[in-house]
Amino acid sequence: MLAIIVPYYKISFFEEVLISLANQTDKRFKVYIGDDASPDSPETILKKYHGKFDFVYHRFEKNLGSVSLTKQWERCINLSENEEWLMILGDDDFLGDTVVESWYENFDLFYKKANVVRFASKMIIQETQEVTETFLHPVWEAATESYYRKFRHLTRSSLSEYIFSRKTFLKYGFHNYPLAWNSDDHAWLDFSDNKPIYTINEALVYFRLSALNISGKQDNKDAKSLSVISFYRFLVANKLKFYTLSQREKIIRFYENEIIKQRKLKLSEWIFLSYFYLKYLDFYSIKKFSKRFIKSILKKHV
């Protein structure tokens, strides 16, 4: 069975989440709502949906999301029972009517072949009320290739449109980046566990971009930058070998440049980069990197 986990804090669009769950054409799922000590209780709204789908509501007395969003996700998952598959649905995102139905229709195609399943998606830009075109994906795709398409701005991805196995979640858990920025990207690379991601393109999940969610805020730049630097260090150290030469160079240069935007590289970071340039890049790339390193040393001693 499928568990849909809703970490709740914001009430603004929450009823749209509940409407989308009530409208599912297949009701073989259970919802677990974890209230992160929100100042806006959802209980009045929830009363309207008793009997429309199976759900459990729990209010946590201490807010955790402001400290660690990933820890809030995990304690909400801990509310669930023994469901084999998990979805974390944002409190301002919502499902197309046939998401669960399509999940079960495709189940025999991906079971034991994939640990991560995703749906096609659309993004709602709240400020302008614009709804984007549908983001579709290859039916089968390596997690590394999936992330590279996002890295090159050829697609989008967020937490809500994925379903993942409890088994691999328990094996890896979520990486606790600041603001959980890139925590979902890191998760799919881990949770896939050397199996491809399976996509269901005939059903849609809607992601809402607004000033109320972290993706839409402009005042978290430092924390986001720290998250990006940390995530790309992980990507370079653990996944670079899965990419082509040109892809490797783009990823490792991006990591290097993100650090430079914030500060000068530390010696330990030059050594880290040197190792991976020598191991995975060609002579021309290594030569250019060496010049940058020498230039930085000379600047330090001028």
Side-chain angles (χ1 to χ4, degrees):
M1 192 171 174
L2 172 64
I4 300 178
I5 314 296
V6 183
Y8 168 79
Y9 187 77
K10 305 181 299 295
I11 202 165
S12 301
F13 308 109
F14 184 56
E15 189 158 13
E16 288 188 56
V17 180
L18 301 178
I19 290 169
S20 77
L21 294 168
N23 286 344
Q24 289 304 300
T25 53
D26 191 322
K27 295 296 196 297
R28 286 179 289 170
F29 61 92
K30 188 168 182 176
V31 178
Y32 299 88
I33 302 165
D35 183 340
D36 193 18
S38 172
D40 300 307
S41 172
E43 292 187 73
T44 300
I45 296 175
L46 285 170
K47 285 178 183 177
K48 296 162 57 177
Y49 293 89
H50 278 292
K52 295 190 176 181
F53 58 90
D54 191 5
F55 71 87
V56 170
Y57 168 74
H58 177 82
R59 179 177 173 83
F60 298 105
E61 294 308 313
K62 184 177 180 181
N63 177 269
L64 185 57
S66 60
V67 178
S68 170
L69 271 176
T70 56
K71 296 300 181 187
Q72 163 64 356
W73 299 344
E74 289 176 347
R75 74 174 177 177
C76 290
I77 289 174
N78 289 338
L79 296 173
S80 65
E81 296 169 359
N82 58 354
E83 295 90 350
E84 187 179 354
W85 296 90
L86 306 168
M87 167 186 265
I88 300 178
L89 180 62
D91 61 6
D92 45 11
D93 303 333
F94 62 94
L95 307 180
D97 293 352
T98 61
V99 163
V100 176
E101 179 183 349
S102 295
W103 158 260
Y104 283 108
E105 285 178 348
N106 282 269
F107 190 81
D108 288 341
L109 297 175
F110 63 76
Y111 186 59
K112 294 187 177 180
K113 299 175 187 175
N115 294 311
V116 177
V117 177
R118 69 182 159 200
F119 293 89
S121 67
K122 288 190 176 187
M123 184 164 64
I124 300 169
I125 303 170
Q126 189 62 29
E127 188 176 276
T128 61
Q129 291 298 299
E130 177 190 352
V131 180
T132 66
E133 295 295 319
T134 302
F135 288 86
L136 302 170
H137 306 281
V139 175
W140 293 102
E141 186 177 36
T144 46
E145 283 304 309
S146 175
Y147 182 72
Y148 190 78
R149 287 194 300 116
K150 182 179 179 180
F151 167 66
R152 299 296 290 166
H153 305 291
L154 300 174
T155 190
R156 63 159 302 280
S157 175
S158 59
L159 187 65
S160 291
E161 65 262 21
Y162 287 81
I163 293 176
F164 51 95
S165 78
R166 183 185 294 273
K167 183 178 179 181
T168 52
F169 160 70
L170 291 174
K171 180 177 179 180
Y172 294 102
F174 286 104
H175 192 85
N176 189 29
Y177 293 111
L179 303 177
W181 199 256
N182 289 120
S183 292
D184 54 337
D185 298 317
H186 190 135
W188 314 140
L189 290 164
D190 279 346
F191 293 2
S192 57
D193 208 21
N194 299 314
K195 292 181 179 179
I197 294 172
Y198 180 81
T199 299
I200 300 172
N201 282 314
E202 61 266 28
L204 283 169
V205 174
Y206 294 81
F207 168 79
R208 190 186 309 275
L209 180 66
S210 76
L212 296 177
N213 62 23
I214 287 172
S215 299
K217 289 183 178 177
Q218 300 300 312
D219 56 354
N220 292 319
K221 289 184 179 179
D222 289 344
K224 288 178 181 178
S225 180
L226 288 172
S227 296
V228 169
I229 290 169
S230 182
F231 171 71
Y232 274 87
R233 185 180 177 91
F234 156 79
L235 196 66
V236 169
N238 297 279
K239 304 297 178 181
L240 207 62
K241 62 186 176 183
F242 296 107
Y243 292 106
T244 65
L245 181 63
S246 64
Q247 290 172 339
R248 291 170 186 171
E249 184 173 19
K250 287 182 176 67
I251 290 168
I252 202 166
R253 279 303 307 270
F254 181 83
Y255 169 61
E256 184 181 336
N257 289 336
E258 281 298 305
I259 299 172
I260 292 169
K261 284 180 188 177
Q262 298 300 310
R263 54 173 170 77
K264 294 180 179 179
L265 272 76
K266 300 172 185 175
L267 179 60
S268 61
E269 289 165 335
W270 282 114
I271 293 169
F272 173 84
L273 285 165
S274 297
Y275 173 80
F276 287 98
Y277 267 98
L278 290 167
K279 186 172 183 179
Y280 290 119
L281 277 295
D282 60 8
F283 175 78
Y284 182 64
S285 299
I286 295 166
K287 184 180 177 181
K288 289 194 295 182
F289 172 75
S290 299
K291 286 182 178 180
R292 293 195 299 275
F293 175 63
I294 292 166
K295 189 176 179 180
S296 74
I297 295 297
L298 290 175
K299 276 186 178 181
K300 190 177 288 188
H301 290 88
V302 169

